[in-house]
């Protein structure tokens, strides 16, 4: 569960709404919303230091861009 929650959080952090994984996955989205209320998850949400990858940057294959 922690691995899945962290992966979904990473998708939100890196891509924001540009690539919304929630579309077509209502049960997973509900689970993630509930999971993110855990104290351990709230305490470890990453800072907004890196800007999300834009669709054009992702299309060029530069997923490592900060």
């Amino acid at each position: 569960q922690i691995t899945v929650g962290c992966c979904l959080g990473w998708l939100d952090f890196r891509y924001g709404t540009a690539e919304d994984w929630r579309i077509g996955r209502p049960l997973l989205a509900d689970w993630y919303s509930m999971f993110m209320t855990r104290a351990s998850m709230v305490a470890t949400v990453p800072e907004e230091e890196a800007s999300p990858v834009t669709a054009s940057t992702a299309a060029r294959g530069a997923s490592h861009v900060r």
Side-chain angles (χ1 to χ4, degrees):
Q1 289 179 342
I2 292 171
T3 301
V4 172
C6 290
C7 287
L8 296 175
W10 182 84
L11 289 174
D12 282 345
F13 178 72
R14 289 302 282 164
Y15 298 105
T17 58
E19 297 286 333
D20 193 357
W21 57 265
R22 290 169 182 80
I23 296 172
R25 299 172 185 90
L27 295 176
L28 184 59
D30 289 346
W31 174 84
Y32 180 70
S33 294
M34 212 168 58
F35 182 74
M36 288 305 293
T37 63
R38 293 175 49 146
S40 59
M41 296 306 289
V42 171
T44 58
V45 172
E47 298 293 323
E48 289 292 331
E49 65 184 45
S51 61
V53 174
T54 62
S56 61
T57 304
R60 290 191 306 261
S63 61
H64 63 281
V65 174
R66 292 190 108 217

